Amino acid sequence: MTQRGGRTLVMTVGTGDLDRLEETLFTPLRKSIATEAWTRVVLLPSSVTEDFARTLRRRLDGATVEVSALPAGDENDADAAYAHFDRVLASVLQDAAPEDVVVDFTRGTKAMSAALVLAATRRAVPRLRYVTGRRDRRGMVEPGSEQVRGIRTTTVDGHRRLDLARALFARGDFAALAHVLPAPDGPLAPLYPNDFVHTARAVRSAARFYAAWDRLDHAAAATVQVAAPPSDDWRRFWPTPDAHAWVAALAREPERIDHRSMAARLRRLAVDLLANGERRVRQGQNEDALVRAYRLLELIGQARLFDHGLDSANLDPDHDAVLAVRRESERKKRKPFSEGPGGKLLASRFQVGRLLRHCGDRLAKSLLRFDDETLLKPTLRNNSVLVHGFAARAPDDPASLRRLFQDLEELARDDDGDGVPEVADWLRIARSPAFDAA
């Protein structure tokens, strides 16, 4: 096996002038190979030039020389030549990093040269080269005038990666962007043009912001320093000042005893989960969407309970509504309030709805019946593999999930707690990463 990290040259072999093989083929090939100290040389002849390649191999010292000839007739079939060269490069790259491989596509038929360039680009080999010089009347490089010129595939590869990054932005696959765009300070960065590295650095910063926001890590998102958009064609994907302010507000956690501030924050969280769940539906992550739907329903109830001065995780046992629900639970033989650390009384979502009803809350009835009329009925969502069950419970058809989120949006719009701005404004910001829906 070739030593990992050794320099490898992969090159096509042509015919040269059959009447002057030594000066038009063997000498130029030896010169081309002698430009660097190669650990491995892979010659790619056609069936016509295979004997020339084997002769050259016998004459070369120092490097391991291999010959991988095209099948007869494939030298003029670009597709067949590409398939062969792609397999060869795949084998080469098992033993060498792409940056340690150089591809020389000078010789052979035009189909062979095009095929090798395409295979090298596909395999992310960054350095290509070709030999040029003075041309004779037949268009062949005159012996002794050869000059080696280099070309990098990283320009094309960079453009392809940026195109893919745009597609990932549009789909909301923000975390994947880190694997598409090379790190600006990583070992591959020097192989790319400076303008690409600048663009990649800026795009990665925006992707980090969206990825943290999308995984609901608002505190992490709020700390991301997003660079300016690198060009106008990226502007539509860029986080707006409203988005930064929204995430920063979600990152601030008030004291739980500040019921008014807690209610406002939970309403923001509910709207953020609504937009987040809609993205999950579009991405086909139905089970994740179902769990998010239940949590945002729960958040709306908890926010309204804070409006009434009650915390579902630390109920005042002497509050009139708490006493009323306790008596009702005893009379109807319902499950009582749970007890948390230090004897705190904890309310389930249904108990929150009953507390709201005894507080005279106008949304209590809607919150209590919502589960029974939607996909959030306990027998369904409680048995999700993401809750207490062992299998997926979300429907395959996204239409019913879309209807569920429409119903939840209507419920969120009906929730008009004190000091809450129009939910439409919050939804506009929370939905801003939905570029595919724009």
Side-chain angles (χ1 to χ4, degrees), residues 233-261:
D233 59 334
W234 282 101
R235 199 169 298 278
R236 76 176 273 248
F237 296 116
W238 232 246
T240 64
D242 282 347
H244 283 285
W246 172 256
V247 167
L250 286 168
R252 291 191 290 270
E253 298 189 35
E255 295 290 332
R256 286 190 74 111
I257 58 173
D258 183 354
H259 292 171
R260 182 185 180 90
S261 296

Side-chain angles (χ1 to χ4, degrees), residues 8-11 40 42 44 68 82-96 101-103 115-125 128:
T8 302
L9 174 66
V10 179
M11 64 191 308
R40 180 183 186 187
V42 180
L44 302 175
S68 183
Y82 168 81
H84 178 80
F85 295 157
D86 184 63
R87 287 192 295 270
V88 171
L89 285 177
S91 175
V92 167
L93 292 170
Q94 290 180 3
D95 302 313
V101 177
V102 175
V103 166
L116 185 55
V117 168
L118 290 173
T121 303
R122 186 252 167 146
R123 293 291 174 179
V125 175
L128 307 181

Side-chain angles (χ1 to χ4, degrees), residues 209 213 218-219 221-224 226 239-252 265 268 272 425-426 428-430 432:
F209 172 83
W213 181 9
H218 304 109
T223 64
V224 176
V226 180
T240 64
D242 282 347
H244 283 285
W246 172 256
V247 167
L250 286 168
R252 291 191 290 270
R265 183 168 187 270
R268 285 178 180 267
D272 201 61
D425 290 338
W426 282 1
R428 173 183 57 79
I429 301 168
S432 60

Side-chain angles (χ1 to χ4, degrees), residues 166-312:
R166 287 188 184 89
L168 291 172
F169 259 115
R171 290 182 50 188
D173 292 339
F174 308 116
L177 278 153
H179 304 288
V180 170
L181 298 178
D185 301 322
L188 295 181
L191 301 175
Y192 287 89
N194 289 336
D195 59 341
F196 168 78
V197 174
H198 169 74
T199 299
R201 179 180 287 108
V203 171
R204 283 170 64 98
S205 72
R208 284 196 301 275
F209 172 83
Y210 284 122
W213 181 9
D214 193 53
R215 67 175 182 265
L216 305 172
D217 191 348
H218 304 109
T223 64
V224 176
Q225 298 295 315
V226 180
S231 57
D232 286 343
D233 59 334
W234 282 101
R235 199 169 298 278
R236 76 176 273 248
F237 296 116
W238 232 246
T240 64
D242 282 347
H244 283 285
W246 172 256
V247 167
L250 286 168
R252 291 191 290 270
E253 298 189 35
E255 295 290 332
R256 286 190 74 111
I257 58 173
D258 183 354
H259 292 171
R260 182 185 180 90
S261 296
M262 283 297 297
R265 183 168 187 270
L266 295 195
R267 287 186 167 95
R268 285 178 180 267
L269 280 173
V271 169
D272 201 61
L273 267 184
L274 176 62
N276 190 289
E278 290 171 340
R279 289 197 295 277
R280 295 299 178 272
V281 175
R282 287 194 299 275
Q283 294 167 351
Q285 298 180 38
N286 294 356
E287 206 69 16
D288 284 345
L290 184 67
V291 174
R292 282 162 170 75
Y294 177 73
R295 179 61 181 134
L296 80 91
L297 176 64
E298 189 175 44
L299 283 169
I300 292 173
Q302 290 174 313
R304 295 189 73 82
L305 200 62
F306 273 119
D307 287 339
H308 294 282
L310 288 169
D311 180 349
S312 63

Side-chain angles (χ1 to χ4, degrees), residues 207-429:
R208 284 196 301 275
F209 172 83
Y210 284 122
W213 181 9
D214 193 53
R215 67 175 182 265
L216 305 172
D217 191 348
H218 304 109
T223 64
V224 176
Q225 298 295 315
V226 180
S231 57
D232 286 343
D233 59 334
W234 282 101
R235 199 169 298 278
R236 76 176 273 248
F237 296 116
W238 232 246
T240 64
D242 282 347
H244 283 285
W246 172 256
V247 167
L250 286 168
R252 291 191 290 270
E253 298 189 35
E255 295 290 332
R256 286 190 74 111
I257 58 173
D258 183 354
H259 292 171
R260 182 185 180 90
S261 296
M262 283 297 297
R265 183 168 187 270
L266 295 195
R267 287 186 167 95
R268 285 178 180 267
L269 280 173
V271 169
D272 201 61
L273 267 184
L274 176 62
N276 190 289
E278 290 171 340
R279 289 197 295 277
R280 295 299 178 272
V281 175
R282 287 194 299 275
Q283 294 167 351
Q285 298 180 38
N286 294 356
E287 206 69 16
D288 284 345
L290 184 67
V291 174
R292 282 162 170 75
Y294 177 73
R295 179 61 181 134
L296 80 91
L297 176 64
E298 189 175 44
L299 283 169
I300 292 173
Q302 290 174 313
R304 295 189 73 82
L305 200 62
F306 273 119
D307 287 339
H308 294 282
L310 288 169
D311 180 349
S312 63
N314 187 14
L315 295 172
D316 177 2
D318 297 322
H319 192 282
D320 288 345
V322 176
L323 292 171
V325 171
R326 269 185 154 171
R327 289 192 296 269
E328 182 182 74
S329 298
E330 290 172 0
R331 187 174 66 253
K332 296 186 177 182
K333 299 189 183 325
R334 288 174 176 159
K335 182 179 178 181
F337 292 118
S338 301
E339 283 196 14
K344 293 180 180 179
L345 292 183
L346 313 176
S348 68
R349 202 196 73 71
F350 282 113
Q351 289 168 334
V352 166
R354 293 177 192 126
L355 286 167
L356 290 172
R357 185 179 62 202
H358 283 284
C359 289
D361 191 281
R362 67 177 184 81
L363 276 192
K365 186 176 181 180
S366 297
L367 288 166
L368 283 168
R369 74 185 183 197
F370 199 95
D371 295 32
D372 292 331
E373 298 176 359
T374 69
L375 293 171
L376 299 181
K377 54 176 66 74
T379 54
L380 186 63
R381 46 95 175 156
N382 277 354
N383 289 319
S384 166
V385 68
L386 296 179
V387 185
H388 301 301
F390 304 102
R393 288 292 178 261
D396 292 333
D397 180 10
S400 55
L401 278 169
R402 286 194 292 267
R403 286 193 298 272
L404 171 61
F405 278 91
Q406 289 168 1
D407 292 340
L408 287 166
E409 178 183 348
E410 184 177 343
L411 186 66
R413 290 179 184 276
D414 286 343
D415 173 28
D416 57 355
D418 292 340
V420 177
E422 289 292 330
V423 171
D425 290 338
W426 282 1
L427 274 173
R428 173 183 57 79
I429 301 168

